[in-house]
Amino acid sequence: MKILDGLWVVAGPGETCEEDAAAYLLCSGNRAALIDAGTGLAHQRLCENITDALPAGAHLSFLFLTHCHYDHAAGAPLLSRDFGVPVVAHEKDAGFLESGDSAVTAASWYGAVMPPVTVHHRIEGRQDIFSVGSLRIQALWSPGHTPGSVVYVTSLSGKKILFGQDVHGPLVAAFRSDPDAYRESLEALLKLSADILCEGHMGVIEGKMEVARFIRRYLAAR
Ligand SMILES: [Zn+2]
Ligand SMILES: [Zn+2]
């Protein structure tokens, strides 16, 4: 489903399967990137959604993972194989991805086993910058929900888009969630003043006021 020119939601309930968190596809010229990968349970459907959305000749330059959780990341090995796309994740979640840790990645919650996910590019420290066509994509370390949670920020059609994914949490000891870090990360997300928040399970929140209200709701609950 198209959100804006050059931005689609390609995975999640209604797009692929109930178990998948949302995955977003960005495209600029003949370059594209995916934000998150779903579970892999509806891999063929996801591949079709990506291929249908992209203009002919466009190819994926990056698969950006927001964090190590099963519903966001378990589909990454299949996508990386079929599209020849490198997987990007923060160094603090990369170990759980590469070892296929079913507890920390929440796969056990789903009664599933986490496949090992090779991380080709580790984001180190607080931020990193990527180019996809004419888009500049900023990765910001945003720990709390998991140790290596990352948000991605870009500008599209004059709007600031925040790929926040699991902004809503939850915070769970088995995920190694950190409530203090989570609160600080939400404060930092508020300061971004994004026009559109692409969430992992709560849909697409549009409008600066609505995005701020959404983030403040989870900040107030802490
Ligand atoms: Zn999560
Ligand atoms: Zn999630």
Side-chain angles (χ1 to χ4, degrees), residues 21 67 69 71-72 110 145 166 168-169 200-201:
H67 63 296
H69 284 169
D71 51 328
H72 297 256
Y110 291 84
H145 176 55
D166 287 358
H168 69 281
H201 304 270

Side-chain angles (χ1 to χ4, degrees), residues 96-110:
F96 306 124
L97 287 161
E98 296 204 311
S99 66
D101 184 321
S102 290
V104 179
T105 64
S108 313
W109 270 30
Y110 291 84

Side-chain angles (χ1 to χ4, degrees), residues 22-217:
Y24 296 94
L25 176 67
L26 266 174
C27 183
S28 169
N30 61 359
R31 294 282 190 274
L34 263 180
I35 293 98
D36 282 346
T39 56
L41 294 174
H43 177 61
Q44 278 314 321
R45 180 84 190 276
L46 177 53
C47 289
E48 286 163 23
N49 290 350
I50 294 167
T51 310
D52 289 350
L54 288 182
H59 75 267
L60 288 173
S61 300
F62 300 103
L63 168 47
F64 295 116
L65 296 179
T66 57
H67 63 296
C68 65
H69 284 169
Y70 171 77
D71 51 328
H72 297 256
L78 296 171
L79 289 165
S80 182
R81 180 196 70 192
D82 288 0
F83 288 96
V85 62
V87 175
V88 179
H90 194 274
E91 58 179 342
K92 293 204 180 285
D93 271 17
F96 306 124
L97 287 161
E98 296 204 311
S99 66
D101 184 321
S102 290
V104 179
T105 64
S108 313
W109 270 30
Y110 291 84
V113 173
M114 186 69 184
V117 178
T118 301
V119 177
H120 304 94
H121 178 101
R122 285 168 139 78
I123 298 164
E124 293 171 357
R126 304 204 75 84
Q127 63 173 315
D128 210 338
I129 293 281
F130 301 86
S131 290
V132 174
S134 62
L135 299 176
R136 182 175 170 275
I137 298 174
Q138 192 180 21
L140 298 171
W141 184 41
S142 194
H145 176 55
T146 68
S149 288
V150 173
V151 301
Y152 298 90
V153 183
T154 195
S155 257
L156 197 65
S157 308
K159 291 186 193 299
K160 191 174 201 179
I161 321 277
L162 168 59
F163 297 96
Q165 297 295 53
D166 287 358
V167 171
H168 69 281
L171 305 186
V172 177
F175 300 169
R176 310 204 181 177
S177 299
D178 178 337
D180 291 337
Y182 177 71
R183 202 176 310 112
E184 277 176 34
S185 291
L186 289 187
E187 297 274 12
L189 296 190
L190 261 182
K191 292 197 182 106
L192 293 172
S193 284
D195 297 292
I196 296 181
L197 167 62
C198 293
E199 231 272 357
H201 304 270
M202 307 288 186
V204 176
I205 295 109
E206 298 197 46
K208 269 191 208 301
M209 300 276 286
E210 287 71 19
V211 172
R213 196 175 301 133
F214 182 90
I215 297 168
R216 281 205 192 92
R217 194 200 312 166

